[in-house]
Amino acid sequence: MVTLVNLRAYWRFLVVLYQFFPLIVAYTRDKRKYLLFGGGRRVTTEMRVKRADVLLESLLTLGPTFIKLGQLLSTRPDILPPEYIEVLGTLQDDVPPAPWDDSKAVLEAELGPVEEAFDAFDTEPISGASLGQVYVAEYEGEKVAVKVRRPGIEDLVEADLRVIRWSMPLLMRFIGEGRAFSLENLADEFAKTIREEMDYAEEAETLLEIQENFADDDTLVIPEPIPERSDDRVLTMEYLPGTKINNIEALDDRGIDRTELATNLQRIYLQMIVDDGVFHADPHPGNLSVTDDGRIIFYDFGMHGEVDPFIQEKIVEFYIAVANQDVDGILDTLIEMGTLSPNVDRQVMGDVMELAIADARGDDIEQYRVNQILEQVESTIYEFPLRLPRNLALVLRVAGVVEGVCVTLDPEFDFISVATDYLTEEGYREESVQKIIEGVGQQGQKTAQSLFRVPPKLERVLDRADRDNLTLNVRLEDNRGVLDKLAKRLIYGIFLSFGFVSTVIIYALNPENLVAVGAAGAPTAVVALLLWRSFRSRKGIRTTPQFTRQNLKERRRE
């Protein structure tokens, strides 16, 4: 079996290499215009969009594993430029269903003969995806949904995961060191994620956990799993039909309040992420329906995420900082979460945040949306050295998709208002204010202590100064070698002046002795060249910011 997987992996590696060969050539030419020689070339926005389209087609051609990989990459703006994120965001996990005979073989391997396991079984799937497909059946007189893993998908995924690992050294050649770290982590995370998504026993556990978390909430419905008809490759659960959440006309015909529906959806996800720490991570309209009485039905818990308490706390702080338009608070939270480097240019990122908030804000100061802010942040992530934690990337994606659904339901939906109300009701804003008050109190205590300690110390210093017995030791931090450059330029300038004057004097005294003039002028010319080169370098003192408010505006106009 291992040998067959290896042989399949070798063949898939050749297929993948062939499929991505045009992109490999294009990226190589970015560094060497004529492949083996020549300078680099400038990559425009239009070129990136075309390459992203080629990448999208390649992922679709390569099948289930790479479709899932593309979906995961669409959540990682720390690895890909914004143009790729936008194109890959359209990637749908929708593939033709497998033949019934193949699915039947999987069912019977897990549960025995289909006729004995179920009262009736409709062999036409009601939905299909890259890893599995869903059928409708009857069990003990009730309709059930039966999710069956796609036949043979395990071997294909394992072979493709090997191909991805083998391809990593090649990919590292085309990206920077910081993004190489993120990409390597992504490969490990992707392998874990796709294996979890194929494990229907784990999906059933997640489904039950979230169901228990919302046991007292009547705004949503989660299908009940049927353990005796479920296994690692088959998941049988309660069949819950409903109206697709983006079918606006049908919702209006049923008299459902769409604003209330959007509010409920937002509050459900806030509880999942901020309170419970486990969340449904694939909230696209195909996985959300609405009952006739306005409750939200959740389908497909294969893709789920977990948030540890530290990240939960920081997400709350982020929401509160956005609601308060506290740019410094937003930056501090992103740095503490590990999203922004501590060495990031705060002025530049502050400008980005201010512009994002200003653009997103309406007439009412509270009328702006987190998704627009996230889009602006994501458009700068590729410009800065970031490492985006996996589950945080998933949270960002979920927040964006959920807000898109909410705005479809109600174009005037105010994400911030709902989030602020929720955090206030749950006591998070009060807790945040309490922390600030405690911090101010501690600072005040330290200040009071300083008022007693500083005067005696100051008096001693002034006494020493009065006796001419005060010595100051000054230590300069010069990580960029600025002082070293200035010293070199000063020395070069002195030698150049001395050499120039000496050469002029020798020439004036004896213009016919060219050997003497050359002996004095040659070293002077060398010093002049060294001085010129020290000013020509763009490192150190003469640096230019890589991202400014102006080029952000230009990018937005494009």
Side-chain angles (χ1 to χ4, degrees), residues 329-341:
I330 294 173
L331 294 180
D332 289 340
T333 304
L334 293 175
I335 290 171
E336 289 170 8
M337 283 193 289
T339 302
L340 277 179
S341 166

Side-chain angles (χ1 to χ4, degrees), residues 9 23 48 70 80 180 204 229 231-232 243 285 303 360 370 402 418 426 476 533 555:
L23 287 174
R48 282 179 173 169
L80 292 177
R229 289 294 178 266
D231 211 322
D232 290 349
T243 303
M303 186 181 293
V370 163
V402 168
V418 174
E426 296 298 315
L476 296 177
R533 288 191 63 182
R555 177 179 293 182

Side-chain angles (χ1 to χ4, degrees), residues 71-79 181-182 184-197 202 279 281 301-308 311 315 337-339 387-398:
Q71 289 180 316
L72 184 58
L73 283 170
S74 71
T75 70
R76 299 302 298 266
D78 57 325
I79 294 176
F181 177 89
S182 295
E184 196 169 8
N185 282 349
L186 177 78
D188 295 335
E189 293 162 6
F190 175 65
K192 179 176 180 289
T193 299
I194 198 169
R195 287 182 180 125
E196 285 179 352
E197 198 167 345
E202 181 167 341
F279 60 96
F301 287 78
M303 186 181 293
H304 58 272
E306 296 180 357
V307 189
D308 62 65
I311 295 295
I315 289 173
M337 283 193 289
T339 302
R387 294 175 181 178
L388 198 59
R390 170 191 163 235
N391 280 336
L392 186 57
L394 208 54
V395 168
L396 290 175
R397 175 182 179 273
V398 166

Side-chain angles (χ1 to χ4, degrees), residues 281-299:
D282 198 12
H284 67 79
N287 286 336
L288 299 172
S289 289
V290 183
T291 64
D292 289 343
D293 59 355
R295 293 183 296 166
I296 302 170
I297 308 170
F298 283 80
Y299 305 121

Side-chain angles (χ1 to χ4, degrees), residues 193-208:
T193 299
I194 198 169
R195 287 182 180 125
E196 285 179 352
E197 198 167 345
M198 288 193 299
D199 186 352
Y200 291 170
E202 181 167 341
E203 179 177 346
E205 290 178 8
T206 303
L207 189 153
L208 287 171

Side-chain angles (χ1 to χ4, degrees), residues 68-185:
K68 287 291 181 184
L69 179 61
Q71 289 180 316
L72 184 58
L73 283 170
S74 71
T75 70
R76 299 302 298 266
D78 57 325
I79 294 176
L80 292 177
E83 296 85 357
Y84 286 77
I85 298 297
E86 184 175 352
V87 171
L88 292 182
T90 65
L91 189 58
Q92 295 296 317
D93 188 9
D94 187 11
V95 297
W100 162 242
D101 288 341
D102 294 342
S103 296
K104 182 180 179 181
V106 175
L107 267 169
E108 295 191 336
E110 298 295 323
L111 306 179
V114 175
E115 297 79 9
E116 296 179 12
F118 299 95
D119 302 334
F121 203 100
D122 187 348
T123 58
E124 288 295 323
I126 58 173
S127 71
S130 56
L131 301 181
Q133 48 204 43
V134 181
Y135 297 87
V136 175
E138 285 189 19
Y139 176 69
E140 294 185 347
E142 299 288 340
K143 268 191 173 184
V144 293
V146 185
K147 187 175 180 181
V148 183
R149 192 188 297 174
R150 185 172 283 269
I153 193 65
E154 302 95 332
D155 292 342
L156 176 62
V157 167
E158 290 302 325
D160 285 343
L161 290 177
R162 294 191 183 201
V163 170
I164 292 170
R165 284 201 303 272
W166 295 343
S167 304
M168 292 302 295
L170 180 63
L171 295 174
M172 299 297 183
R173 296 176 60 88
F174 301 107
I175 59 178
E177 184 179 346
R179 293 182 186 94
F181 177 89
S182 295
L183 188 62
E184 196 169 8
N185 282 349

Side-chain angles (χ1 to χ4, degrees), residues 211-223:
Q211 189 180 66
E212 184 180 350
N213 291 338
F214 288 89
D216 299 326
D217 193 329
D218 60 358
T219 63
L220 78 162
V221 185
I222 296 174

